[in-house]
Amino acid sequence: MWQLANWSRRKKLESDLDRELHYHLDRRIIDLERSGLPTEEARRQALLELGGIAQIQEEVRDIWLTRWLRDFVHDLRFSARSIFRSPSFMATAVLSLALGIGATTALYSLIDQIVLRALPVDHPERLVLIDWIGFQYAETFGTSNLMSYPICQDLQQKKDFFEGVLCRAATTISASTGGEPKLTAAELVSGNYFSLLGVRPALGRLLTTDDDQTPGSSPVVVLSYDFWKNQLGGAADIVGRRVLVNQYPMTVVGVAAPAFHGIDVGEVPSLWIPAVMSAQAIPGFTTMLDRRTRWMQILGRLKQNVSLQQAQTGLQPWFKSMLDEDMRRTNVSRASAEQRRRFLASTLELTPAPQGHSVLRQGLSRPLWVLFVATAVLLALACLNVAGLFLARGSARHREISTRLALGASRGRIGRQLLADSVLLAFAGGLLGVVMAPIAVRALIAFLPRNTAANNLQANIDTRLLLFAFLVSLVAGFLAGSAPALQAGRKSLDSSLRERGGTPSGGLALRRAIVTAQIAFTLILVIAAGLFVRTLSGLLVKGPGFDTSSLISFGIKPALNGYSGAEESRLIRRITEGLRDSSSIQASAVAHDQLLLGGAWSNSLTIQAGERYITDREVQMNAVSPGFFATLGARIVAGRDFNEHDALNVIAPNQSMPVSQTRQRAVIVNEAFVKRYFGGRNPLGARVAMGSAPDAKPDSEIVGVVENISYRNVREQWEQAYFP
């Protein structure tokens, strides 16, 4: 059918061209006859002036797209026949390009999913992240870009700049739909979350502002489409069913659209819960309405006629007045002069957020772009290798090319033929690279944290990946074929025909340039690889600061399954005693937060050591049992370890409770803490208090100093404080 349509279109073009040429010829003959020339002489003169109908027809056909496509198809056929005659050349070129294209495509797949891809919502380009820059004088519960829920409510009233403002917080719950409870990713959101993003329900309804009124008033949830399909079998009667969230009954009101997976590519929620149910979703959390508890990210959608800069500038006067009001109505007014200065110097910053908010993106953007540049250099090196192969192959074909030039082929025509050779090989390499790319993507995902790799990152080949591979293959083909195409026909026809056998002497400068570029790109890759190996070996030598061989770690969250504080303590004590009595366990201990999983319990501390001062940044903390450091093999460099007496009558910190509600009697700090805040002075006997409030009472004594160990990851070295 396509051939028939193409033939019909070509026949019409030929007919139109013939009619137009004869029209101009007839008009010229008539003009010449009017000037007095006989008819035959007029026709001869007109043909001479026109230059030959057949020649003009050929020139016009040369600019037709159909002619160009036909020639290109012929070039590809000829290239395929000639390349298949040299299987070793074809295999070497295709594998070289497949390596570069496959690696580049695999990295692009991850960059597209983590960094570039916009949210599947209405007008994502108008979404902005609203962030507090400066000292908030608040307790922190979460990861980054955090503010309080009351500030989100204040910003929702700024209708001069925003169509709406939403807030959200990622968390983990224990969810049960009739079977065993499972740890499940969830998101606490404001009532306008779905409506502002423009997300539609696949079933039932989504959350509304009516579900976000007073604390504890809306025990409802919305399920993600994947959770509904995979965990609940796509039950048609899911709306109205009850789901237990941390053993608290809530009602399913709807299922979100299939394409929507939240606004954080690293933390894909299975359930969405109204923010007013935070006390039920986060056991022990009771400060949702406290302006001094920062735990949610805030995003807004700009009005259509408002720019980001206009909104940021316009919000500053309100923000400054809010800071002044907070200074008067909260305990900020009792803060030190330095704290008040830092608090009042804070600003509100708006940044584009078409991809939403993601801690994973913040951590991986730079490494992924660095790797992408490295693979681009690798692809350039592969193109140079193939270009060199084509030049060598062109040397063997120089007599063929010379003969074609002698028969009337233009240099451009020869160049197009050589480009067709390289483009054909590049597409073959691209096809093989696309086949290899998912394998490489899966390998890269395997290096990511477990909870990230299990979320929304895919190794599948989609339309965007295919389009990228096609464009990369096209570029690679032109890069690889440009050198031999430029070299084609640069020698004089006479000298080409005089050469008999052997390798022609022309093109040495171009070959030297390619070899030089190959060496340069190879050195870049070797140096970069050396730096990566040096960094990796340094991290391996440094390690986390303790011996991880034969060390096993696991976590439990009793509060998410309805355990009270007393029941939780009894459960942990029973597990601890069982481990201690096991003959296969050399030593064991309990910690509030697991190490090296990226999480952190952090807060500022007030230090009383002669004078009273506050840490200038948050300190990483943990609550541990006696013998924790001995179990890890971490050395106590000064003072003593915790003992059983330190742990008596102490309220163990709940991971979800604001840390200001905990009470401690002893504390152990690391060497980095001593270096930063004591400057070499003996810290033993100094006292600290949790938080930076003016009424904070430093009642926890520093009883020991432990050597530095890594807390969240092996790269990070931070000030640490441990409580019993």
Side-chain angles (χ1 to χ4, degrees), residues 245 374 683:
V245 175

Side-chain angles (χ1 to χ4, degrees), residues 504-677:
S505 58
L508 291 179
L510 183 58
R511 295 177 201 176
R512 292 193 186 102
I514 289 179
V515 172
T516 302
Q518 285 177 298
I519 294 173
F521 281 128
T522 303
L523 282 176
I524 291 173
L525 288 178
V526 169
I527 292 171
L531 292 175
F532 275 119
V533 170
R534 180 180 177 183
T535 301
L536 180 60
S537 62
L539 291 174
L540 290 173
V541 170
K542 173 182 177 292
F546 52 88
D547 185 11
T548 58
S549 60
S550 302
L551 190 65
I552 297 174
S553 172
F554 65 92
I556 58 173
K557 296 184 177 182
L560 298 187
N561 288 303
Y563 282 75
S564 66
E567 292 171 336
E568 181 177 351
S569 297
R570 285 195 294 270
L571 174 64
I572 293 176
R573 189 177 299 113
R574 191 161 63 248
I575 293 174
T576 304
E577 291 172 354
L579 290 173
R580 189 179 297 123
D581 294 340
S582 173
S583 60
S584 60
I585 303 297
Q586 181 178 347
S588 65
V590 179
H592 177 250
D593 287 322
Q594 286 182 269
L595 301 179
L596 302 178
L597 292 186
W601 166 30
S602 57
N603 199 19
S604 54
L605 291 180
T606 299
I607 303 173
Q608 186 74 51
E611 58 179 345
R612 180 187 177 103
Y613 54 96
I614 298 169
T615 56
D616 58 353
R617 59 180 182 179
E618 292 183 336
V619 177
Q620 291 181 355
M621 303 179 189
N622 210 338
V624 302
S625 65
F628 173 78
F629 301 111
T631 301
L632 293 183
R635 186 169 52 92
I636 300 291
V637 297
R640 63 173 178 86
D641 194 357
F642 292 127
N643 55 42
E644 295 298 332
H645 175 73
D646 294 320
L648 292 177
N649 301 318
V650 172
I651 301 175
N654 186 297
Q655 186 174 13
S656 303
M657 291 174 60
V659 291
S660 60
Q661 295 185 11
T662 64
R663 297 191 301 112
Q664 313 294 346
R665 290 292 180 268
V667 61
I668 294 174
V669 297
N670 70 342
E671 293 176 296
F673 185 95
V674 175
K675 180 179 179 180
R676 186 176 185 90
Y677 296 112

Side-chain angles (χ1 to χ4, degrees), residues 30-325:
I30 292 172
D31 291 340
L32 292 173
E33 286 178 340
R34 287 175 180 173
S35 66
L37 288 177
T39 301
E40 291 301 324
E41 182 63 24
R43 174 176 291 277
R44 190 181 71 82
Q45 182 67 28
L47 288 172
L48 289 175
E49 292 179 0
L50 197 60
I53 292 178
Q55 183 177 352
I56 293 176
Q57 287 176 331
E58 286 300 317
E59 291 175 355
V60 172
R61 289 176 187 136
D62 283 343
I63 65 173
W64 285 352
L65 181 61
T66 54
R67 171 66 177 270
W68 186 89
L69 289 175
R70 189 173 69 254
D71 289 345
F72 184 68
V73 171
H74 290 325
D75 288 342
L76 289 179
R77 288 177 180 174
F78 181 81
S79 297
R81 288 196 301 269
S82 62
I83 288 173
F84 275 107
R85 295 193 192 105
S86 306
S88 58
F89 167 80
M90 180 183 68
T92 304
V94 169
L95 288 176
S96 297
L97 291 172
L99 178 62
I101 294 172
T104 309
T105 304
L107 260 299
Y108 172 79
S109 177
L110 280 185
I111 290 175
D112 177 54
Q113 294 183 69
I114 297 175
V115 181
L116 300 179
R117 188 174 298 180
L119 296 174
V121 301
D122 292 344
H123 301 291
E125 72 281 356
R126 300 214 307 265
L127 290 178
V128 294
L129 176 68
I130 307 173
D131 197 14
W132 181 314
I133 305 300
F135 179 60
Q136 289 201 39
Y137 199 83
E139 304 291 351
T140 301
F141 172 48
T143 50
S144 61
N145 311 113
L146 301 171
M147 284 196 280
S148 69
Y149 182 73
I151 293 178
C152 175
Q153 292 179 311
D154 292 345
L155 286 166
Q156 287 173 346
Q157 307 307 314
K158 302 304 170 185
K159 302 186 184 301
D160 292 342
F161 308 106
F162 301 108
E163 289 183 1
V165 172
L166 64 87
C167 48
R168 52 82 68 177
T171 188
T172 301
I173 62 168
S174 172
S176 172
T177 55
E180 288 293 322
K182 295 181 180 179
L183 288 179
T184 306
E187 200 171 32
L188 289 158
V189 299
S190 56
N192 64 342
Y193 178 86
F194 291 105
S195 60
L196 181 59
L197 293 175
V199 179
R200 279 79 178 173
L203 208 65
R205 70 171 180 88
L206 303 179
L207 301 179
T208 67
T209 53
D210 293 336
D211 299 313
D212 190 26
Q213 297 299 318
T214 57
S217 63
S218 301
V220 296
V221 299
V222 170
L223 305 181
S224 73
Y225 188 88
D226 291 342
F227 183 80
W228 172 57
K229 277 290 188 182
N230 300 331
Q231 301 298 322
L232 302 174
D237 61 344
I238 188 62
V239 176
R241 278 199 199 178
R242 190 178 69 170
V243 57
L244 296 180
V245 175
N246 301 338
Q247 301 301 311
Y248 188 91
M250 296 189 185
T251 303
V252 177
V253 296
V255 177
F260 184 69
H261 301 98
I263 64 171
D264 189 341
V265 69
E267 297 183 68
V268 179
S270 297
L271 295 90
W272 287 275
I273 305 171
V276 294
M277 302 301 295
S278 58
Q280 290 73 29
I282 309 173
F285 182 69
T286 58
T287 55
M288 181 190 79
L289 298 179
D290 184 3
R291 300 184 71 86
R292 303 272 66 82
T293 300
R294 52 195 292 252
W295 63 293
M296 305 189 87
Q297 288 92 23
I298 301 177
L299 284 85
R301 184 190 295 283
L302 294 173
K303 298 185 78 170
Q304 193 165 2
N305 59 343
V306 176
S307 69
L308 183 145
Q309 189 58 45
Q310 288 174 332
Q312 178 163 310
T313 303
L315 286 171
Q316 299 309 319
W318 163 80
F319 186 67
K320 292 300 182 185
S321 65
M322 186 206 72
L323 294 177
D324 292 335
E325 187 176 351

